[in-house]
C-alpha cells in the first residue's frame, strides 16, 4: 500500500474489465436470442460472448486477488464490502430457490383438476425417496461440516489441515453431483412430463447447478490456501465460499422433503 495514503479505502486503478464484461454480456444475450430463433451466426456469436465473459471473469478476479494478497490493498475496512455484499447475494439465491420449491408445493398440496386432482399426476413415474435421494441428502451437510473444519483450521493458522478439509469438501460435493447425475439417468420422468416433471427438474436442477458453482468456489479456495493466499487475518474469499456452501447444503433438505418425499409417497 502507498505510504502517503491517509485512509484505509482502496481506490481502484482504471480497468478495462467492466466494459469488456458488458460487451461479453451483450454478445451472449444477442447471440442467445439469434440462436433460439434461429438466425444465421447466432451460435457463433453466443459462443464468442460466453468465451469473452469467462475470460473477463478470470482476469478480473485475478486482478482482485493480486490487489488483496500481493499489493495489500484489502484492509479490514475494505474487507467489509465483500462481506456485506455476500449476504444479500445469498439471500437473493434463497428467494430464487424458494420460488421454485413454492411452485412445486402449490401444485402438490392442492392439485388442480387439470392434472386429475392427484399428486403426482396419473401416469407420471417418480423416484423412490428412500433410494438415491435419501442416500444423497446427508452428503451435502457432511461437506458443510468439512468446510467448517477448514474455517477453524485457517483461524488456527493450520494451513495443511485447511487444505485437507477443503479437499474433503470438494470430494463430498463431487460425490453428491455424481449421485444426482445417476438420479437423473434413472428418473422415470423428464422436464416435459406435466407440472411434476417441470417443477422437479427446475428445482433439483438449479440446486444442482448451485452445488457445481459452490464446488468450483471451494476448489479455488483450496488452490489459494495451498499457495498461501489465505491467512487467519485475511480470508474473505474463503468466508464467502463457506457461507455460500452452507446455504447450498442446508437448502438440500427442502427439496428432499417437499419434492422427493412428498412426491414419492
Amino acid at each position: 500500500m502507498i505510504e502517503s495514503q491517509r485512509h484505509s479505502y482502496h481506490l481502484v486503478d482504471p480497468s478495462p474489465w467492466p466494459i469488456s464484461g458488458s460487451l461479453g454480456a451483450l454478445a451472449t444475450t444477442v447471440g442467445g436470442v439469434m440462436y433460439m430463433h434461429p438466425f444465421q451466426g447466432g451460435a457463433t456469436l453466443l459462443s464468442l460472448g460466453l468465451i469473452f465473459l469467462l475470460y473477463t471473469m478470470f482476469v478480473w478476479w485475478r486482478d482482485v486477488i493480486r490487489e488483496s494478497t500481493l499489493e495489500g490493498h484489502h484492509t479490514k475496512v475494505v474487507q467489509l464490502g465483500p462481506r456485506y455484499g455476500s449476504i444479500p447475494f445469498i439471500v437473493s439465491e434463497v428467494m430464487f430457490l424458494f420460488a421454485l420449491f413454492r411452485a412445486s408445493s402449490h401444485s402438490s398440496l392442492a392439485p388442480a383438476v387439470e392434472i386429475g386432482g392427484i399428486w403426482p399426476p396419473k401416469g407420471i413415474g417418480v423416484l423412490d425417496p428412500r433410494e438415491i435421494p435419501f442416500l444423497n441428502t446427508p452428503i451435502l451437510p457432511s461437506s458443510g461440516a468439512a468446510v467448517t473444519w477448514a474455517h477453524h483450521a485457517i483461524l488456527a493458522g493450520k494451513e495443511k489441515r485447511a487444505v485437507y478439509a477443503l479437499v474433503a469438501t470438494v470430494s463430498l460435493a463431487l460425490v453428491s453431483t455424481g449421485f444426482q447425475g445417476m438420479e437423473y439417468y434413472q428418473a422415470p420422468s423428464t422436464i416435459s412430463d406435466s407440472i411434476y416433471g417441470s417443477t422437479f427438474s427446475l428445482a433439483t436442477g438449479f440446486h444442482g447447478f448451485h452445488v457445481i458453482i459452490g464446488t468450483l468456489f471451494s476448489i479455488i479456495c483450496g488452490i489459494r490456501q495451498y499457495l498461501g493466499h489465505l491467512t487467519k487475518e485475511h480470508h474473505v474469499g474463503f468466508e464467502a465460499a463457506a457461507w455460500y456452501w452452507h446455504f447450498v447444503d442446508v437448502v438440500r433438505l427442502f427439496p428432499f422433503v417437499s419434492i422427493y418425499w412428498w412426491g414419492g409417497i
Side-chain angles (χ1 to χ4, degrees):
M1 182 180 297
I2 302 175
E3 294 182 358
S4 60
Q5 183 170 306
R6 297 185 179 181
H7 56 80
S8 301
Y9 297 94
H10 178 206
L11 303 180
V12 184
D13 295 329
S15 172
W17 309 134
I19 185 64
S20 68
S22 301
L23 293 174
L26 177 63
T28 302
T29 303
V30 175
V33 172
M34 293 174 62
Y35 174 74
M36 288 183 283
H37 274 88
F39 287 95
Q40 186 176 3
T44 302
L45 184 59
L46 175 61
S47 301
L48 290 175
L50 289 173
I51 292 172
F52 208 50
L53 272 180
L54 292 174
Y55 174 76
T56 301
M57 292 163 60
F58 175 81
V59 292
W60 200 344
W61 287 334
R62 176 206 62 187
D63 288 354
V64 172
I65 291 173
R66 182 183 297 159
E67 291 165 356
S68 63
T69 56
L70 302 179
E71 299 177 6
H73 288 302
H74 286 196
T75 62
K76 290 185 178 180
V77 174
V78 174
Q79 292 176 39
L80 292 176
R83 283 194 176 98
Y84 292 156
S86 298
I87 295 173
F89 166 70
I90 293 174
V91 170
S92 69
E93 295 297 290
V94 170
M95 295 296 102
F96 172 72
L97 289 175
F98 175 79
L100 298 179
F101 299 147
R102 177 66 182 85
S104 176
S105 300
H106 174 77
S107 296
S108 62
L109 294 175
V113 66
E114 287 82 5
I115 60 174
I118 59 173
W119 188 263
K122 186 177 180 180
I124 301 297
V126 299
L127 289 166
D128 188 341
R130 297 165 295 181
E131 296 181 353
I132 294 180
F134 180 76
L135 180 64
N136 199 16
T137 297
I139 293 177
L140 285 180
S142 300
S143 66
V147 82
T148 301
W149 172 29
H151 196 183
H152 284 283
I154 292 174
L155 293 176
K158 299 177 180 178
E159 293 82 4
K160 289 186 178 180
R161 289 190 182 182
V163 173
Y164 297 153
L166 285 168
V167 169
T169 301
V170 172
S171 299
L172 288 169
L174 292 176
V175 170
S176 176
T177 303
F179 274 135
Q180 187 162 1
M182 293 173 57
E183 178 183 294
Y184 282 176
Y185 181 76
Q186 298 179 6
S189 60
T190 66
I191 193 171
S192 60
D193 289 328
S194 182
I195 185 64
Y196 178 88
S198 300
T199 55
F200 174 86
S201 298
L202 281 174
T204 60
F206 270 110
H207 179 259
F209 177 73
H210 283 75
V211 171
I212 294 173
I213 296 298
T215 304
L216 295 175
F217 211 165
S218 299
I219 290 173
I220 297 300
C221 287
I223 295 173
R224 293 190 63 200
Q225 178 62 42
Y226 179 78
L227 296 175
H229 290 179
L230 306 178
T231 65
K232 56 184 178 181
E233 295 85 11
H234 190 283
H235 54 276
V236 178
F238 171 81
E239 284 186 334
W243 293 347
Y244 186 86
W245 194 250
H246 286 309
F247 143 69
V248 168
D249 63 50
V250 170
V251 165
R252 168 66 193 184
L253 302 175
F254 290 89
F256 177 75
V257 173
S258 65
I259 296 178
Y260 292 102
W261 180 76
W262 184 260
I265 59 176

